[in-house]
Amino acid sequence: MDNQDFLKVVSCSFRKFLETGSRSNEKLKILHGKIAEDLKKRLGGEYDVHSLGIGNGQEDNIEGRYIDKKVDITILKNRKVIAGIGVKFVMQNYSQNSNNYFENMLGETANIRCANTPYFQIFIIPDKVPYYDNNGKLKKWETFSEHNSQKYLTLSKDNTETSIHTPNKTLLFVIHLPDIKCSVDDKEEYVRYYSDLGSLRVREAACSYGDFEDAVIFNDYELFIQKVVHRILSI
């Protein structure tokens, strides 16, 4: 997959989210499965890749330093898990969980990398995210801003050889969904609007969000997956 193929997969995953809701894992089967399939093709026959949506359709556990962790995508050689990729696609209510997402990512990365297993992360988010109350009413629109990206800019400066809490490589992908051209008051209307669109084209966000250094790749799936493959082949 190149960047455009990746955006088409993200679009399909978002459409499945609209159809099945936030509690269903159907959207993950599309997204995780296509990334895993692409990785398998690039790595070749010596390697197996497990995730939802490919092979037996199951996630594997990776042995951690402290606890074992079920991981979105695992890479195996000679039936042994040798690397993992965590994938996060945020579609709503970002601000109340933004620090938790980041802290959890650092914690799970440290747990896995302390057990000498390479670990990578993909974080996908729209540049404009709905925030709902407990009854599904739309309270506000949240913008993924340079303030939100600051922690990823800091992460990008980490030395991944010495900073064991930092993923070997992180992909931050900020997308832009088609603008909503009418008033939307709740989750149901939001879902209906995008479901009724004849063409749901997902694009890269226009904002640059700063100059990222080596540990984080911004809006470039192709470069990220090349780096992942290179690292895995070196094991």
Side-chain angles (χ1 to χ4, degrees):
M1 287 195 296
D2 59 18
N3 254 23
Q4 291 307 308
D5 294 327
F6 179 71
L7 287 168
K8 289 176 184 176
V9 171
V10 171
S11 176
C12 290
S13 179
F14 182 69
R15 275 206 178 275
K16 185 57 69 173
F17 159 75
L18 298 173
E19 295 171 9
T20 61
S22 57
R23 295 185 179 180
S24 170
N25 69 359
E26 291 300 313
K27 63 185 178 297
L28 305 181
K29 291 180 181 179
I30 295 171
L31 182 61
H32 298 185
K34 287 296 184 182
I35 296 170
E37 184 180 299
D38 185 34
L39 195 55
K40 169 66 177 170
K41 288 178 181 176
R42 292 170 185 264
L43 288 170
E46 278 190 83
Y47 298 85
D48 289 315
V49 183
H50 292 177
S51 81
L52 296 174
I54 190 175
N56 63 6
Q58 295 181 347
E59 299 167 338
D60 284 330
N61 280 323
I62 289 185
E63 183 177 336
R65 176 70 175 87
Y66 310 102
I67 57 173
D68 292 349
K69 169 70 177 174
K70 186 166 284 190
V71 171
D72 296 321
I73 300 172
T74 49
I75 299 89
L76 299 86
K77 187 176 183 181
N78 298 323
R79 299 184 180 180
K80 179 184 177 183
V81 176
I82 60 168
I85 304 175
V87 184
K88 192 75 171 176
F89 187 1
V90 176
M91 303 185 193
Q92 60 191 40
N93 290 40
Y94 173 62
S95 61
Q96 69 182 29
N97 297 308
S98 63
N99 288 337
N100 287 340
Y101 291 143
F102 196 78
E103 289 168 2
N104 290 342
M105 179 268 288
L106 297 179
E108 70 185 44
T109 300
N111 177 48
I112 291 170
R113 290 199 62 203
C114 278
N116 297 317
T117 301
Y119 195 56
F120 308 87
Q121 288 273 356
I122 298 174
F123 186 83
I124 307 165
I125 187 169
D127 54 6
K128 188 176 179 181
V129 183
Y131 183 92
Y132 305 111
D133 66 16
N134 292 335
N135 297 315
K137 296 293 290 183
L138 180 62
K139 301 295 290 184
K140 61 182 177 179
W141 291 100
E142 300 179 320
T143 301
F144 188 83
S145 64
E146 289 193 36
H147 171 74
N148 299 122
S149 70
Q150 188 59 50
K151 48 185 167 282
Y152 293 95
L153 282 166
T154 302
L155 185 77
S156 76
K157 300 172 185 176
D158 286 351
N159 181 338
T160 58
E161 296 300 316
T162 57
S163 299
I164 207 71
H165 61 276
T166 304
N168 292 85
K169 198 69 71 176
T170 299
L171 173 64
L172 171 63
F173 213 109
V174 185
I175 63 172
H176 179 76
L177 298 170
D179 294 323
I180 293 180
K181 301 184 182 299
C182 64
S183 176
V184 170
D185 295 322
D186 56 32
K187 185 182 294 188
E188 185 176 323
E189 291 181 359
Y190 176 90
V191 168
R192 187 184 306 122
Y193 180 87
Y194 281 115
S195 297
D196 289 346
L197 282 182
S199 175
L200 179 54
R201 185 180 171 220
V202 175
R203 305 194 309 270
E204 296 176 27
C207 185
S208 68
Y209 297 99
D211 295 322
F212 293 89
E213 298 190 24
D214 288 347
V216 175
I217 294 172
F218 176 70
N219 277 19
D220 194 335
Y221 169 82
E222 175 73 13
L223 177 60
F224 170 78
I225 208 70
Q226 288 175 5
K227 297 290 186 181
V228 172
V229 168
H230 179 76
R231 179 67 180 88
I232 292 170
L233 292 177
S234 73
I235 299 171

